[in-house]
Amino acid sequence: MKLVHKNVDKGNQGSVVLIPEEPEDMWHAYNLIAKGDKVRSTTIRKVQTESATGSSTSSRVRTTLTIKVEDIDFDTQACVLRLKGRNIEENQYVKMGAYHTLDLELNRKFELSKPEWDTISLERIDMACDVTQNADVAAVIMQEGLAHICLITSSMTLVRSKIEVCIPRKRKGNVSQHEKGLSKFYDAVMQGIMRHVNFDVIKCVLVASPGFVKDQFCEYMFQQAVKLDNKTILDNKSKFLLVHSSSGFKHSLKEVLQDPAVIAKMSDTKAAAEVKVLENFYSMLQCEPAKAFYGKEHVLRAAEAQAIETLLISDNLFRCQDVNLRKEYVNLVDSVRDYGGEVKIFSSMHISGEQLAQLTGVAAILRFPMPELEEEDEENDDSESE
């Protein structure tokens, strides 16, 4: 998603102009646009014109409309977003108050105005427009003297850095010069990884090369990390995966991504953090039920007591038509973050999000047990059985 213009004031009112560039961006737009928002975009309208003789002809014209959204339809298969609402700005082809359907399309900009921009909506824009937020996988494609550091999202690959270092040939009496050149090259690649790979987001770093270049580089990098006490590299050692490539050029990435071992590893990375958190919640529910709760009422009570360590919430809840209910969930997220809790927003399009939806869409792992919430449940069950 490309952010063309953003004008949101301190009172959280204003508008943004966005251009969806990938099918995935339509999913972000679907999560951003709510009933009551104003959307301005170009559209095709069928217009009837009457000639001087009284005969009428119809033609299709492109015009710019601003509608107040009343209905949102998202076709997940075709990735098409249809917005239905009344025209709220003067237009030569469409009467004020007339209904119209806007189809948001790839590479066509639209302007979105909200009565109030909350933190969840603003975060969604940052996530959609910052490709590094979505990059689960990084790749270092290398050969002696040449390396490309790339970030891979579900829909695109970005080259973040190209590293070229001239390495003297290995000749008799010139071995030290060759070794120095190699060390300089490996250092530059290591610095590139540190600069461009966000290990909080990245779940896997592919290191690919012909021959043993990748093995020698990783051996050098981990030795340097120990020597320099580089905790970032050492703590994420398990994320590095060594694979073969025919060269250090970017086009070799294609063959790397077709490697069965890489495909298996990458399928594990997609929403892996959410899956892990959900597993933790289920095990907590079995082992220490007083520290794991789901359902709006219980989670809100735990939030009031500042007891939530990790909040699990479905993005589905932020698309509810009830404005006050949405605000309640936004305030819940803000309050958990304010006292140092972690928030995981699950996509309803992912299997882990579907599982969370079966638990009402909101759950929490607590810092300390709250047996009183359990007791309330039992009391309610008893009163219902009577």
Side-chain angles (χ1 to χ4, degrees):
M1 188 90 82
K2 186 177 179 183
L3 179 64
V4 179
H5 181 68
K6 183 178 176 185
N7 181 24
V8 178
D9 60 26
K10 288 180 180 176
N12 287 334
Q13 291 182 324
S15 63
V16 295
V17 178
L18 299 162
I19 301 175
E21 296 176 312
E22 303 288 333
E24 201 177 319
D25 293 340
M26 288 303 178
W27 173 246
H28 291 304
Y30 174 54
N31 281 281
L32 270 174
I33 299 167
K35 195 175 172 182
D37 291 350
K38 296 171 188 173
V39 176
R40 180 180 173 84
S41 184
T42 58
T43 184
I44 301 288
R45 184 79 176 187
K46 199 174 179 181
V47 176
Q48 295 278 350
T49 51
E50 242 180 67
S51 66
T53 58
S55 61
S56 65
T57 55
S58 67
S59 58
R60 292 165 70 80
V61 294
R62 182 167 288 283
T63 183
T64 302
L65 280 185
T66 305
I67 65 166
K68 189 169 185 180
V69 179
E70 291 187 16
D71 192 44
I72 305 163
D73 178 42
F74 181 54
D75 183 342
T76 52
Q77 296 301 312
C79 270
V80 173
L81 190 59
R82 290 189 179 89
L83 311 173
K84 187 182 177 184
R86 290 179 186 271
N87 178 34
I88 57 167
E89 277 188 17
E90 200 66 50
N91 185 284
Q92 67 181 103
Y93 302 113
V94 185
K95 289 179 184 174
M96 284 282 283
Y99 274 105
H100 189 81
T101 301
L102 279 182
D103 282 359
L104 295 192
E105 296 175 22
L106 290 178
N107 301 310
R108 184 172 297 155
K109 71 178 178 182
F110 68 92
E111 183 177 355
L112 172 62
S113 304
K114 284 181 175 288
E116 185 185 356
W117 286 89
D118 56 43
T119 50
I120 299 295
S121 297
L122 293 170
E123 270 176 28
R124 175 68 66 172
I125 289 176
D126 291 341
M127 184 172 74
C129 298
D130 179 6
V131 75
T132 60
Q133 294 285 319
N134 302 316
D136 269 331
V137 180
V140 182
I141 311 294
M142 64 195 305
Q143 62 188 51
E144 271 199 13
L146 174 69
H148 288 83
I149 297 172
C150 311
L151 294 179
I152 305 162
T153 73
S154 55
S155 50
M156 63 194 295
T157 301
L158 257 101
V159 176
R160 301 302 281 178
S161 178
K162 181 183 177 182
I163 296 157
E164 285 184 284
V165 173
C166 186
I167 298 171
R169 284 194 172 183
K170 207 173 186 177
R171 292 194 185 97
K172 257 188 176 181
N174 192 29
V175 176
S176 64
Q177 290 300 312
H178 176 77
E179 296 296 332
K180 275 182 187 174
L182 266 184
S183 296
K184 187 181 173 185
F185 172 57
Y186 291 158
D187 270 330
V189 177
M190 188 175 169
Q191 290 306 314
I193 291 171
M194 292 296 297
R195 191 175 305 118
H196 298 289
V197 176
N198 179 359
F199 284 99
D200 292 337
V201 179
I202 296 290
K203 312 292 191 307
C204 171
V205 183
L206 307 173
V207 183
S209 79
F212 295 103
V213 177
K214 58 187 182 299
D215 308 83
Q216 289 163 0
F217 164 68
C218 283
E219 190 182 336
Y220 176 88
M221 178 173 63
F222 295 132
Q223 281 177 358
Q224 287 295 102
V226 171
K227 195 187 292 183
L228 303 169
D229 194 25
N230 186 326
K231 286 191 166 55
T232 305
I233 295 290
L234 295 174
D235 291 350
N236 292 284
K237 192 175 180 180
S238 61
K239 291 183 181 179
F240 287 85
L241 179 68
L242 276 59
V243 285
H244 173 78
S245 71
S246 55
S247 76
F249 292 94
K250 187 198 166 188
H251 62 77
S252 294
L253 188 58
K254 189 179 177 184
E255 69 188 69
V256 169
L257 296 178
Q258 288 168 345
D259 186 309
V262 173
I263 291 168
K265 184 81 174 175
M266 282 181 70
S267 67
D268 291 343
T269 66
K270 203 63 192 156
E274 283 79 1
V275 172
K276 193 176 177 184
V277 167
L278 199 61
E279 281 173 10
N280 291 346
F281 174 79
Y282 280 124
S283 61
M284 188 70 78
L285 201 59
Q286 284 185 321
C287 307
E288 291 185 78
K291 284 179 71 178
F293 290 94
Y294 61 90
K296 185 182 150 199
E297 296 306 319
H298 283 151
V299 172
L300 286 175
R301 287 280 306 279
E304 281 172 23
Q306 298 188 3
I308 297 177
E309 184 174 58
T310 308
L311 176 70
L312 296 71
I313 191 162
S314 169
D315 59 13
N316 219 11
L317 299 178
F318 301 112
R319 290 197 298 273
C320 61
Q321 300 299 328
D322 186 332
V323 176
N324 291 327
L325 189 59
R326 180 190 162 95
K327 274 187 179 175
E328 213 170 353
Y329 287 124
V330 171
N331 291 338
L332 171 64
V333 168
D334 290 344
S335 69
V336 170
R337 284 176 176 159
D338 285 345
Y339 56 74
E342 187 182 14
V343 176
K344 290 285 183 190
I345 298 176
F346 285 65
S347 169
S348 55
M349 294 285 282
H350 192 269
I351 189 71
S352 59
E354 289 172 14
Q355 284 180 283
L356 184 60
Q358 291 168 4
L359 298 172
T360 73
V362 60
I365 299 170
L366 308 192
R367 288 191 171 95
F368 49 84
M370 288 187 74
E372 61 269 29
L373 293 182
E374 266 191 306
E375 286 160 17
E376 274 179 30
D377 257 1
E378 286 165 15
E379 284 169 20
N380 290 340
D381 288 345
D382 292 342
S383 62
E384 279 171 21
S385 59
E386 286 168 17

